[in-house]
């Protein structure tokens, strides 16, 4: 599928798809897997999904940099009363 076809299938513009692919590449969640002419093929990093044995997985990720996971601090499960009132206004 072309980028325009993929964007249409996902309900977004081709420009939005391009920005999304750029973001995913930057964070090493999508990896270039060759191409033909100006068309580039991508695949997900093996850190996200891999089918096989543990040994096969270890061999598959030897050449990859792991993606950076920037996870924020978890919110407190108990919100303050003032926070709830701010949400209502």
């Amino acid at each position: 599928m072309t980028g325009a076809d993929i964007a249409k299938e996902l309900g977004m513009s081709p420009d939005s798809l391009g920005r999304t692919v750029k973001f995913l590449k930057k964070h090493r969640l999508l990896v270039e897997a060759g191409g033909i002419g100006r068309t580039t093929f991508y695949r997900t990093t093996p850190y996200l999904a891999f089918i096989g044995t543990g040994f096969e997985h270890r061999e598959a990720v030897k050449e990859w940099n792991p993606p950076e996971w920037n996870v924020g601090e978890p919110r407190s499960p108990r919100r303050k009363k003032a926070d709830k009132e701010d949400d209502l206004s």
Side-chain angles (χ1 to χ4, degrees):
M1 294 176 80
T2 66
D5 293 336
I6 294 169
K8 184 177 178 183
E9 185 78 22
L10 296 174
M12 58 191 333
S13 71
D15 291 338
S16 295
L17 178 66
R19 286 190 301 272
T20 302
V21 168
K22 186 176 179 180
F23 176 85
L24 294 172
K25 281 177 42 180
K26 178 182 174 187
H27 293 284
R28 296 188 304 260
L29 297 172
L30 274 184
V31 180
E32 289 187 19
I36 298 175
R38 293 177 31 187
T39 303
T40 305
F41 301 115
Y42 298 97
R43 63 180 175 182
T44 60
T45 177
Y47 285 97
L48 294 178
F50 185 83
I51 299 172
T53 66
F55 178 76
E56 291 169 335
H57 186 245
R58 187 173 63 225
E59 291 298 313
V61 298
K62 276 186 178 178
E63 65 188 59
W64 301 88
N65 287 329
E68 294 179 21
W69 300 101
N70 296 326
V71 179
E73 291 293 320
R75 288 187 6 172
S76 171
R78 296 181 183 259
R79 294 176 60 192
K80 296 178 182 175
K81 187 173 185 179
D83 291 343
K84 291 180 183 177
E85 290 174 0
D86 289 340
D87 290 344
L88 297 176
S89 58

